[in-house]
Amino acid sequence: MSYDDPKTIVSTEWLAKHIKDPDLRLLDASWYLPAMGRDPKAEYDAAHIPGARFFDIDDVSDNRSDLPHMVPTVEKFMSRLRAMGVGDGHQVVVYDGMGVFSAARVWWLFRLMGQDNIAVLDGGLPKWQAEGRDIEDLPPVIRDRHMTVRRQAHMVKDVTQVSAASKLRDYEIIDARGPGRFRGEEPEPREGMRAGHIPGAKNVHYATLQNADGTMKDPAGLKATFEAAGVDFGKPVITSCGSGVTAAILNLALEVIGKRDHSLYDGSWSEWGQFPTLPVATGED
């Protein structure tokens, strides 16, 4: 099956058909973990899908925070997107250089800001290039466009809300990190971080929601993956990960299967793991 929902995920075929639509806006939101040793802006400058603008996740964030790429203020989001020529009336498609990795974070950020006309490109730049489709190294022509933002506060959670949810067990907290980090068996990539997970959290590694080629599983496959991890769909969901990027892949998958009451813990393990007063679980508990 191939996705063609302009509010969640679209296929490379869908994009190829719509790439010349006057109101389509493409964003390259590639972002990598330091250990990956990749420079997303340099890669974008060398090769991107025609017309794509570069969306810098670390720049379009709250740089007053000590935590990495936290949600920016509404004003900063609006001004950065205006500078990219993205605004009201546009259909946005966001992709990254891994398949579906950091693009989901930008999809979630747009949704948080009340913008629904955004989809993630399934399989991202690797699939687009593997199919021999056009790429370019030219900067896009940008015209300002105003964006109306209506922040959907229920879509993001802070440490106090997550701490309460962990105690009361009235939400499903789902952690997108790898099983080794979730269980506290592998060291954290960030200095001074405790190992383990939020008590009561379930583990759905983001990669288990994807096919071997970096595309997302079909809706039945996504649902089965959550169910295999023991997720109770009767509860609202809070997603978490290392720093709030791959958690959004879970939010995207939940949206695809019709589970609407989901939010994301923006501070994620970067925040939780550094506070000695917050409890940490290890193993499968």
Side-chain angles (χ1 to χ4, degrees):
M1 69 150 278
S2 63
Y3 283 103
D4 62 353
D5 177 5
K7 293 185 186 301
T8 53
I9 305 174
V10 294
S11 65
T12 48
E13 291 84 6
W14 186 97
L15 180 58
K17 201 185 299 175
H18 293 276
I19 198 159
K20 292 205 161 50
D21 290 4
D23 283 329
L24 185 85
R25 291 293 177 272
L26 258 179
L27 299 178
D28 181 326
S30 300
W31 175 92
Y32 304 106
L33 293 163
M36 293 171 178
R38 292 176 66 172
D39 179 338
K41 181 62 167 68
E43 290 185 22
Y44 164 83
D45 288 340
H48 52 261
I49 299 176
R53 288 102 162 108
F54 184 69
F55 186 106
D56 185 337
I57 283 175
D58 288 325
D59 176 57
V60 190
S61 68
D62 182 2
N63 44 20
R64 301 164 306 177
S65 172
D66 295 336
L67 296 165
H69 39 252
M70 295 287 280
V71 168
T73 62
V74 163
E75 294 73 24
K76 183 172 185 180
F77 181 81
M78 285 166 69
S79 72
R80 288 292 193 274
L81 268 296
R82 174 181 284 231
M84 284 179 225
V86 179
D88 293 343
H90 283 148
Q91 169 64 49
V92 181
V93 175
V94 59
Y95 72 87
D96 62 57
M98 292 264 291
V100 177
F101 185 66
S102 52
R105 166 75 186 192
V106 176
W107 170 84
W108 171 80
L109 186 57
F110 269 70
R111 299 293 293 255
L112 175 68
M113 296 295 178
Q115 292 282 333
D116 284 354
N117 293 332
I118 178 163
V120 170
L121 179 63
D122 201 20
L125 186 60
K127 186 168 192 285
W128 182 266
Q129 287 186 288
E131 292 166 353
R133 299 183 190 275
D134 288 352
I135 53 166
E136 66 179 19
D137 58 4
L138 307 168
V141 178
I142 296 202
R143 294 180 190 84
D144 267 20
R145 174 84 73 109
H146 173 72
M147 177 180 279
T148 308
V149 169
R150 300 178 192 85
R151 197 172 184 277
Q152 308 295 306
H154 62 278
M155 288 192 67
V156 66
K157 295 283 187 271
D158 64 23
V159 67
T160 311
Q161 293 166 311
V162 177
S163 182
S166 171
K167 285 193 191 84
L168 298 171
R169 306 287 162 105
D170 53 347
Y171 282 79
E172 281 286 36
I173 301 170
I174 314 178
D175 190 325
R177 293 174 302 155
R181 286 174 66 191
F182 178 82
R183 293 194 294 256
E185 295 162 2
E186 289 172 13
E188 282 298 306
R190 291 174 183 81
E191 202 77 11
M193 210 65 66
R194 297 174 300 162
H197 60 266
I198 300 164
K202 306 269 171 67
N203 188 205
V204 177
H205 185 209
Y206 73 87
T208 62
L209 297 167
Q210 298 176 352
N211 301 307
D213 64 354
T215 56
M216 296 292 278
K217 289 181 177 175
D218 65 18
L222 296 175
K223 194 162 192 286
T225 305
F226 284 114
E227 285 170 346
V231 171
D232 177 358
F233 287 118
K235 295 179 183 178
V237 171
I238 299 170
T239 67
S240 178
C241 62
S243 65
V245 173
T246 58
I249 300 171
L250 306 185
N251 296 82
L252 178 63
L254 290 164
E255 189 72 19
V256 165
I257 62 177
K259 174 81 175 147
R260 304 274 182 257
D261 50 348
H262 54 83
S263 53
L264 183 148
Y265 172 25
D266 199 21
S268 279
W269 198 252
S270 298
E271 182 174 44
W272 193 281
Q274 72 175 339
F275 285 121
T277 50
L278 291 169
V280 167
T282 53
E284 297 292 349
D285 293 343

